[in-house]
Structure formats: C-alpha cells, structure tokens
PDB file of all heavy atoms in Angstrom:
ATOM      1  N   LEU K  14     -82.292 123.586  37.044  1.00 85.00           N
ATOM      2  CA  LEU K  14     -83.265 122.718  36.578  1.00 85.00           C
ATOM      3  C   LEU K  14     -82.872 121.286  36.457  1.00 85.00           C
ATOM      4  O   LEU K  14     -83.528 120.354  36.855  1.00 85.00           O
ATOM      5  CB  LEU K  14     -83.743 123.194  35.196  1.00 85.00           C
ATOM      6  CG  LEU K  14     -84.571 124.577  35.113  1.00 85.00           C
ATOM      7  CD1 LEU K  14     -84.746 125.022  33.699  1.00 85.00           C
ATOM      8  CD2 LEU K  14     -85.907 124.413  35.896  1.00 85.00           C
ATOM      9  N   ASP K  15     -81.565 121.101  36.049  1.00 82.00           N
ATOM     10  CA  ASP K  15     -81.026 119.760  35.860  1.00 82.00           C
ATOM     11  C   ASP K  15     -80.954 119.041  37.192  1.00 82.00           C
ATOM     12  O   ASP K  15     -81.407 117.872  37.353  1.00 82.00           O
ATOM     13  CB  ASP K  15     -79.732 119.806  35.221  1.00 82.00           C
ATOM     14  CG  ASP K  15     -79.712 119.484  33.793  1.00 82.00           C
ATOM     15  OD1 ASP K  15     -80.770 119.175  33.267  1.00 82.00           O
ATOM     16  OD2 ASP K  15     -78.601 119.538  33.108  1.00 82.00           O
ATOM     17  N   PHE K  16     -80.418 119.712  38.224  1.00 76.00           N
ATOM     18  CA  PHE K  16     -80.310 119.148  39.516  1.00 76.00           C
ATOM     19  C   PHE K  16     -81.594 118.994  40.254  1.00 76.00           C
ATOM     20  O   PHE K  16     -81.881 118.132  41.106  1.00 76.00           O
ATOM     21  CB  PHE K  16     -79.289 119.831  40.327  1.00 76.00           C
ATOM     22  CG  PHE K  16     -77.838 119.468  39.984  1.00 76.00           C
ATOM     23  CD1 PHE K  16     -77.059 120.326  39.218  1.00 76.00           C
ATOM     24  CD2 PHE K  16     -77.261 118.285  40.468  1.00 76.00           C
ATOM     25  CE1 PHE K  16     -75.810 120.063  38.901  1.00 76.00           C
ATOM     26  CE2 PHE K  16     -75.920 117.999  40.067  1.00 76.00           C
ATOM     27  CZ  PHE K  16     -75.187 118.832  39.301  1.00 76.00           C
ATOM     28  N   GLY K  17     -82.501 119.995  39.945  1.00 79.00           N
ATOM     29  CA  GLY K  17     -83.854 119.941  40.565  1.00 79.00           C
ATOM     30  C   GLY K  17     -84.687 118.799  40.118  1.00 79.00           C
ATOM     31  O   GLY K  17     -85.323 118.108  40.912  1.00 79.00           O
ATOM     32  N   TYR K  18     -84.738 118.607  38.833  1.00 79.00           N
ATOM     33  CA  TYR K  18     -85.534 117.505  38.272  1.00 79.00           C
ATOM     34  C   TYR K  18     -84.790 116.189  38.278  1.00 79.00           C
ATOM     35  O   TYR K  18     -85.376 115.135  38.382  1.00 79.00           O
ATOM     36  CB  TYR K  18     -85.861 117.829  36.819  1.00 79.00           C
ATOM     37  CG  TYR K  18     -87.066 118.790  36.750  1.00 79.00           C
ATOM     38  CD1 TYR K  18     -86.823 120.198  36.570  1.00 79.00           C
ATOM     39  CD2 TYR K  18     -88.365 118.395  36.814  1.00 79.00           C
ATOM     40  CE1 TYR K  18     -87.838 121.052  36.439  1.00 79.00           C
ATOM     41  CE2 TYR K  18     -89.444 119.294  36.727  1.00 79.00           C
ATOM     42  CZ  TYR K  18     -89.223 120.655  36.523  1.00 79.00           C
ATOM     43  OH  TYR K  18     -90.235 121.500  36.458  1.00 79.00           O
ATOM     44  N   GLY K  19     -83.403 116.272  38.162  1.00 72.00           N
ATOM     45  CA  GLY K  19     -82.690 115.012  38.165  1.00 72.00           C
ATOM     46  C   GLY K  19     -82.833 114.336  36.782  1.00 72.00           C
ATOM     47  O   GLY K  19     -83.620 114.720  35.926  1.00 72.00           O
ATOM     48  N   THR K  20     -82.032 113.237  36.550  1.00 72.00           N
ATOM     49  CA  THR K  20     -82.097 112.502  35.356  1.00 72.00           C
ATOM     50  C   THR K  20     -82.993 111.281  35.648  1.00 72.00           C
ATOM     51  O   THR K  20     -82.636 110.505  36.470  1.00 72.00           O
ATOM     52  CB  THR K  20     -80.724 112.077  34.876  1.00 72.00           C
ATOM     53  OG1 THR K  20     -79.885 113.280  34.718  1.00 72.00           O
ATOM     54  CG2 THR K  20     -80.777 111.295  33.591  1.00 72.00           C
ATOM     55  N   PRO K  21     -84.025 111.150  34.909  1.00 74.00           N
ATOM     56  CA  PRO K  21     -84.982 109.980  35.217  1.00 74.00           C
ATOM     57  C   PRO K  21     -84.284 108.675  34.854  1.00 74.00           C
ATOM     58  O   PRO K  21     -83.517 108.584  33.933  1.00 74.00           O
ATOM     59  CB  PRO K  21     -86.120 110.196  34.292  1.00 74.00           C
ATOM     60  CG  PRO K  21     -85.599 111.193  33.189  1.00 74.00           C
ATOM     61  CD  PRO K  21     -84.596 111.986  33.836  1.00 74.00           C
ATOM     62  N   ALA K  22     -84.488 107.661  35.655  1.00 68.00           N
ATOM     63  CA  ALA K  22     -83.877 106.340  35.416  1.00 68.00           C
ATOM     64  C   ALA K  22     -84.507 105.732  34.199  1.00 68.00           C
ATOM     65  O   ALA K  22     -85.605 106.088  33.796  1.00 68.00           O
ATOM     66  CB  ALA K  22     -84.093 105.426  36.635  1.00 68.00           C
ATOM     67  N   CYS K  23     -83.794 104.871  33.617  1.00 68.00           N
ATOM     68  CA  CYS K  23     -84.262 104.204  32.405  1.00 68.00           C
ATOM     69  C   CYS K  23     -85.580 103.550  32.702  1.00 68.00           C
ATOM     70  O   CYS K  23     -85.722 102.746  33.702  1.00 68.00           O
ATOM     71  CB  CYS K  23     -83.248 103.171  31.942  1.00 68.00           C
ATOM     72  SG  CYS K  23     -83.690 102.319  30.385  1.00 68.00           S
ATOM     73  N   GLY K  24     -86.566 103.804  31.906  1.00 68.00           N
ATOM     74  CA  GLY K  24     -87.883 103.163  32.034  1.00 68.00           C
ATOM     75  C   GLY K  24     -88.879 104.031  32.793  1.00 68.00           C
ATOM     76  O   GLY K  24     -90.073 103.788  32.690  1.00 68.00           O
ATOM     77  N   ASP K  25     -88.333 105.042  33.518  1.00 73.00           N
ATOM     78  CA  ASP K  25     -89.307 106.036  34.210  1.00 73.00           C
ATOM     79  C   ASP K  25     -89.763 107.053  33.196  1.00 73.00           C
ATOM     80  O   ASP K  25     -89.089 107.423  32.391  1.00 73.00           O
ATOM     81  CB  ASP K  25     -88.524 106.637  35.367  1.00 73.00           C
ATOM     82  CG  ASP K  25     -88.176 105.691  36.518  1.00 73.00           C
ATOM     83  OD1 ASP K  25     -88.757 104.584  36.432  1.00 73.00           O
ATOM     84  OD2 ASP K  25     -87.418 106.007  37.412  1.00 73.00           O
ATOM     85  N   PRO K  26     -90.905 107.590  33.529  1.00 78.00           N
ATOM     86  CA  PRO K  26     -91.457 108.802  32.698  1.00 78.00           C
ATOM     87  C   PRO K  26     -90.582 109.933  32.963  1.00 78.00           C
ATOM     88  O   PRO K  26     -90.013 110.092  34.047  1.00 78.00           O
ATOM     89  CB  PRO K  26     -92.894 108.984  33.258  1.00 78.00           C
ATOM     90  CG  PRO K  26     -92.902 108.364  34.568  1.00 78.00           C
ATOM     91  CD  PRO K  26     -91.909 107.164  34.556  1.00 78.00           C
ATOM     92  N   ASP K  27     -90.484 110.799  31.899  1.00 77.00           N
ATOM     93  CA  ASP K  27     -89.628 111.981  32.002  1.00 77.00           C
ATOM     94  C   ASP K  27     -90.505 113.274  32.283  1.00 77.00           C
ATOM     95  O   ASP K  27     -91.262 113.749  31.433  1.00 77.00           O
ATOM     96  CB  ASP K  27     -88.956 112.248  30.589  1.00 77.00           C
ATOM     97  CG  ASP K  27     -87.834 113.278  30.737  1.00 77.00           C
ATOM     98  OD1 ASP K  27     -87.792 114.021  31.699  1.00 77.00           O
ATOM     99  OD2 ASP K  27     -86.996 113.297  29.786  1.00 77.00           O
ATOM    100  N   PRO K  28     -90.484 113.712  33.500  1.00 81.00           N
ATOM    101  CA  PRO K  28     -91.381 114.833  33.875  1.00 81.00           C
ATOM    102  C   PRO K  28     -90.722 116.247  33.597  1.00 81.00           C
ATOM    103  O   PRO K  28     -91.300 117.283  33.891  1.00 81.00           O
ATOM    104  CB  PRO K  28     -91.505 114.687  35.426  1.00 81.00           C
ATOM    105  CG  PRO K  28     -90.250 114.101  35.824  1.00 81.00           C
ATOM    106  CD  PRO K  28     -89.704 113.193  34.625  1.00 81.00           C
ATOM    107  N   ARG K  29     -89.553 116.230  33.020  1.00 82.00           N
ATOM    108  CA  ARG K  29     -88.792 117.471  32.878  1.00 82.00           C
ATOM    109  C   ARG K  29     -89.422 118.352  31.803  1.00 82.00           C
ATOM    110  O   ARG K  29     -90.003 117.820  30.846  1.00 82.00           O
ATOM    111  CB  ARG K  29     -87.325 117.198  32.512  1.00 82.00           C
ATOM    112  CG  ARG K  29     -86.629 116.377  33.521  1.00 82.00           C
ATOM    113  CD  ARG K  29     -85.102 116.065  33.092  1.00 82.00           C
ATOM    114  NE  ARG K  29     -85.157 115.248  31.978  1.00 82.00           N
ATOM    115  CZ  ARG K  29     -84.034 114.939  31.223  1.00 82.00           C
ATOM    116  NH1 ARG K  29     -82.887 115.470  31.640  1.00 82.00           N
ATOM    117  NH2 ARG K  29     -84.154 114.097  30.133  1.00 82.00           N
ATOM    118  N   PRO K  30     -89.255 119.703  31.950  1.00 84.00           N
ATOM    119  CA  PRO K  30     -89.734 120.566  30.842  1.00 84.00           C
ATOM    120  C   PRO K  30     -88.975 120.368  29.564  1.00 84.00           C
ATOM    121  O   PRO K  30     -87.861 119.835  29.589  1.00 84.00           O
ATOM    122  CB  PRO K  30     -89.529 122.003  31.424  1.00 84.00           C
ATOM    123  CG  PRO K  30     -88.409 121.781  32.473  1.00 84.00           C
ATOM    124  CD  PRO K  30     -88.616 120.396  32.967  1.00 84.00           C
ATOM    125  N   PRO K  31     -89.478 120.785  28.448  1.00 81.00           N
ATOM    126  CA  PRO K  31     -88.858 120.537  27.153  1.00 81.00           C
ATOM    127  C   PRO K  31     -87.433 121.093  27.056  1.00 81.00           C
ATOM    128  O   PRO K  31     -86.584 120.555  26.380  1.00 81.00           O
ATOM    129  CB  PRO K  31     -89.735 121.227  26.144  1.00 81.00           C
ATOM    130  CG  PRO K  31     -91.065 121.193  26.820  1.00 81.00           C
ATOM    131  CD  PRO K  31     -90.880 121.387  28.262  1.00 81.00           C
ATOM    132  N   VAL K  32     -87.139 122.176  27.776  1.00 79.00           N
ATOM    133  CA  VAL K  32     -85.764 122.840  27.712  1.00 79.00           C
ATOM    134  C   VAL K  32     -84.717 121.821  28.282  1.00 79.00           C
ATOM    135  O   VAL K  32     -83.608 121.934  27.933  1.00 79.00           O
ATOM    136  CB  VAL K  32     -85.811 124.175  28.468  1.00 79.00           C
ATOM    137  CG1 VAL K  32     -85.876 123.916  29.987  1.00 79.00           C
ATOM    138  CG2 VAL K  32     -84.463 124.904  28.158  1.00 79.00           C
ATOM    139  N   LEU K  33     -85.194 120.901  29.112  1.00 81.00           N
ATOM    140  CA  LEU K  33     -84.267 119.878  29.557  1.00 81.00           C
ATOM    141  C   LEU K  33     -84.382 118.578  28.752  1.00 81.00           C
ATOM    142  O   LEU K  33     -83.345 117.991  28.422  1.00 81.00           O
ATOM    143  CB  LEU K  33     -84.566 119.536  31.103  1.00 81.00           C
ATOM    144  CG  LEU K  33     -84.252 120.669  32.086  1.00 81.00           C
ATOM    145  CD1 LEU K  33     -84.573 120.142  33.412  1.00 81.00           C
ATOM    146  CD2 LEU K  33     -82.884 121.133  31.986  1.00 81.00           C
ATOM    147  N   ALA K  34     -85.584 118.122  28.568  1.00 79.00           N
ATOM    148  CA  ALA K  34     -85.830 116.845  27.971  1.00 79.00           C
ATOM    149  C   ALA K  34     -85.366 116.845  26.478  1.00 79.00           C
ATOM    150  O   ALA K  34     -84.983 115.841  25.958  1.00 79.00           O
ATOM    151  CB  ALA K  34     -87.252 116.444  28.092  1.00 79.00           C
ATOM    152  N   ARG K  35     -85.550 117.990  25.719  1.00 83.00           N
ATOM    153  CA  ARG K  35     -85.336 117.988  24.296  1.00 83.00           C
ATOM    154  C   ARG K  35     -84.079 118.744  23.868  1.00 83.00           C
ATOM    155  O   ARG K  35     -83.706 118.631  22.709  1.00 83.00           O
ATOM    156  CB  ARG K  35     -86.520 118.620  23.645  1.00 83.00           C
ATOM    157  CG  ARG K  35     -87.793 117.797  23.865  1.00 83.00           C
ATOM    158  CD  ARG K  35     -89.006 118.444  23.147  1.00 83.00           C
ATOM    159  NE  ARG K  35     -90.278 117.742  23.409  1.00 83.00           N
ATOM    160  CZ  ARG K  35     -91.403 118.146  22.901  1.00 83.00           C
ATOM    161  NH1 ARG K  35     -91.550 119.223  22.148  1.00 83.00           N
ATOM    162  NH2 ARG K  35     -92.501 117.442  23.249  1.00 83.00           N
ATOM    163  N   VAL K  36     -83.438 119.462  24.787  1.00 87.00           N
ATOM    164  CA  VAL K  36     -82.271 120.259  24.438  1.00 87.00           C
ATOM    165  C   VAL K  36     -81.102 119.586  25.120  1.00 87.00           C
ATOM    166  O   VAL K  36     -80.849 119.750  26.309  1.00 87.00           O
ATOM    167  CB  VAL K  36     -82.417 121.777  24.839  1.00 87.00           C
ATOM    168  CG1 VAL K  36     -81.093 122.490  24.454  1.00 87.00           C
ATOM    169  CG2 VAL K  36     -83.586 122.349  24.206  1.00 87.00           C
ATOM    170  N   HIS K  37     -80.287 118.921  24.352  1.00 88.00           N
ATOM    171  CA  HIS K  37     -79.119 118.126  24.924  1.00 88.00           C
ATOM    172  C   HIS K  37     -78.162 119.200  25.478  1.00 88.00           C
ATOM    173  O   HIS K  37     -78.039 120.291  24.903  1.00 88.00           O
ATOM    174  CB  HIS K  37     -78.488 117.377  23.801  1.00 88.00           C
ATOM    175  CG  HIS K  37     -77.476 116.375  24.371  1.00 88.00           C
ATOM    176  ND1 HIS K  37     -76.164 116.704  24.570  1.00 88.00           N
ATOM    177  CD2 HIS K  37     -77.565 115.036  24.603  1.00 88.00           C
ATOM    178  CE1 HIS K  37     -75.494 115.629  24.973  1.00 88.00           C
ATOM    179  NE2 HIS K  37     -76.333 114.624  25.022  1.00 88.00           N
ATOM    180  N   PHE K  38     -77.389 118.820  26.488  1.00 88.00           N
ATOM    181  CA  PHE K  38     -76.549 119.854  27.071  1.00 88.00           C
ATOM    182  C   PHE K  38     -75.416 120.301  26.057  1.00 88.00           C
ATOM    183  O   PHE K  38     -74.918 121.423  26.179  1.00 88.00           O
ATOM    184  CB  PHE K  38     -75.846 119.234  28.350  1.00 88.00           C
ATOM    185  CG  PHE K  38     -74.739 118.388  28.199  1.00 88.00           C
ATOM    186  CD1 PHE K  38     -73.412 118.852  28.103  1.00 88.00           C
ATOM    187  CD2 PHE K  38     -74.877 116.980  28.180  1.00 88.00           C
ATOM    188  CE1 PHE K  38     -72.337 118.022  27.955  1.00 88.00           C
ATOM    189  CE2 PHE K  38     -73.829 116.141  28.040  1.00 88.00           C
ATOM    190  CZ  PHE K  38     -72.521 116.676  27.907  1.00 88.00           C
ATOM    191  N   LEU K  39     -75.039 119.489  25.089  1.00 91.00           N
ATOM    192  CA  LEU K  39     -74.046 119.916  24.105  1.00 91.00           C
ATOM    193  C   LEU K  39     -74.750 120.943  23.210  1.00 91.00           C
ATOM    194  O   LEU K  39     -74.058 121.930  22.808  1.00 91.00           O
ATOM    195  CB  LEU K  39     -73.638 118.710  23.297  1.00 91.00           C
ATOM    196  CG  LEU K  39     -72.632 117.804  24.037  1.00 91.00           C
ATOM    197  CD1 LEU K  39     -72.326 116.599  23.054  1.00 91.00           C
ATOM    198  CD2 LEU K  39     -71.388 118.503  24.405  1.00 91.00           C
ATOM    199  N   HIS K  40     -76.005 120.775  22.857  1.00 93.00           N
ATOM    200  CA  HIS K  40     -76.678 121.869  22.078  1.00 93.00           C
ATOM    201  C   HIS K  40     -76.820 123.074  22.928  1.00 93.00           C
ATOM    202  O   HIS K  40     -76.716 124.204  22.368  1.00 93.00           O
ATOM    203  CB  HIS K  40     -78.087 121.371  21.639  1.00 93.00           C
ATOM    204  CG  HIS K  40     -78.050 120.262  20.613  1.00 93.00           C
ATOM    205  ND1 HIS K  40     -79.087 119.410  20.343  1.00 93.00           N
ATOM    206  CD2 HIS K  40     -77.008 119.897  19.820  1.00 93.00           C
ATOM    207  CE1 HIS K  40     -78.753 118.584  19.427  1.00 93.00           C
ATOM    208  NE2 HIS K  40     -77.500 118.832  19.011  1.00 93.00           N
ATOM    209  N   PHE K  41     -77.144 122.913  24.195  1.00 93.00           N
ATOM    210  CA  PHE K  41     -77.246 124.075  25.086  1.00 93.00           C
ATOM    211  C   PHE K  41     -75.853 124.837  25.171  1.00 93.00           C
ATOM    212  O   PHE K  41     -75.834 126.075  25.121  1.00 93.00           O
ATOM    213  CB  PHE K  41     -77.618 123.605  26.495  1.00 93.00           C
ATOM    214  CG  PHE K  41     -77.580 124.721  27.522  1.00 93.00           C
ATOM    215  CD1 PHE K  41     -78.618 125.618  27.612  1.00 93.00           C
ATOM    216  CD2 PHE K  41     -76.447 124.845  28.369  1.00 93.00           C
ATOM    217  CE1 PHE K  41     -78.580 126.673  28.579  1.00 93.00           C
ATOM    218  CE2 PHE K  41     -76.416 125.886  29.331  1.00 93.00           C
ATOM    219  CZ  PHE K  41     -77.509 126.820  29.434  1.00 93.00           C
ATOM    220  N   THR K  42     -74.824 124.117  25.105  1.00 94.00           N
ATOM    221  CA  THR K  42     -73.434 124.716  25.104  1.00 94.00           C
ATOM    222  C   THR K  42     -73.237 125.585  23.884  1.00 94.00           C
ATOM    223  O   THR K  42     -72.807 126.761  24.026  1.00 94.00           O
ATOM    224  CB  THR K  42     -72.391 123.588  25.123  1.00 94.00           C
ATOM    225  OG1 THR K  42     -72.440 122.859  26.307  1.00 94.00           O
ATOM    226  CG2 THR K  42     -71.011 124.193  24.995  1.00 94.00           C
ATOM    227  N   VAL K  43     -73.699 125.135  22.776  1.00 95.00           N
ATOM    228  CA  VAL K  43     -73.528 125.962  21.522  1.00 95.00           C
ATOM    229  C   VAL K  43     -74.464 127.185  21.578  1.00 95.00           C
ATOM    230  O   VAL K  43     -73.978 128.290  21.252  1.00 95.00           O
ATOM    231  CB  VAL K  43     -73.894 125.085  20.310  1.00 95.00           C
ATOM    232  CG1 VAL K  43     -73.770 125.921  19.028  1.00 95.00           C
ATOM    233  CG2 VAL K  43     -73.021 123.811  20.192  1.00 95.00           C
ATOM    234  N   LEU K  44     -75.668 126.947  21.978  1.00 95.00           N
ATOM    235  CA  LEU K  44     -76.605 128.159  22.077  1.00 95.00           C
ATOM    236  C   LEU K  44     -76.102 129.155  23.069  1.00 95.00           C
ATOM    237  O   LEU K  44     -76.161 130.407  22.781  1.00 95.00           O
ATOM    238  CB  LEU K  44     -78.046 127.655  22.513  1.00 95.00           C
ATOM    239  CG  LEU K  44     -78.720 126.797  21.583  1.00 95.00           C
ATOM    240  CD1 LEU K  44     -80.022 126.198  22.121  1.00 95.00           C
ATOM    241  CD2 LEU K  44     -78.980 127.497  20.220  1.00 95.00           C
ATOM    242  N   LEU K  45     -75.610 128.747  24.215  1.00 95.00           N
ATOM    243  CA  LEU K  45     -75.070 129.665  25.224  1.00 95.00           C
ATOM    244  C   LEU K  45     -73.822 130.348  24.672  1.00 95.00           C
ATOM    245  O   LEU K  45     -73.664 131.609  24.930  1.00 95.00           O
ATOM    246  CB  LEU K  45     -74.696 128.865  26.544  1.00 95.00           C
ATOM    247  CG  LEU K  45     -74.174 129.674  27.649  1.00 95.00           C
ATOM    248  CD1 LEU K  45     -75.236 130.717  28.120  1.00 95.00           C
ATOM    249  CD2 LEU K  45     -73.828 128.758  28.817  1.00 95.00           C
TER     250      LEU K  45
END
C-alpha cells in the first residue's frame, strides 16, 4: 500500500486510505 500509493508531496491532497494516512509506521511497528 505504501509503495502503491506513494507519499504525497507537500501541499498535495492525501488519497491514501486511513490505514496509511492515520497510522504512522512506528505505530504500525508496535501493533505488528
């Protein structure tokens, strides 16, 4: 999902699903 959607550039809208946009990868690390 990360590589598929990519990281939006600053100022661009964020089209990513909430699991990417709202869950920081460090939080994902803890959950995993």
Side-chain angles (χ1 to χ4, degrees):
L14 291 173
D15 259 358
F16 282 101
Y18 282 95
T20 303
C23 185
D25 291 349
D27 193 345
R29 298 178 298 172
V32 70
L33 293 182
R35 298 180 183 178
V36 180
H37 194 275
F38 81 87
L39 288 176
H40 290 163
F41 173 80
T42 296
V43 178
L44 294 174
L45 182 59

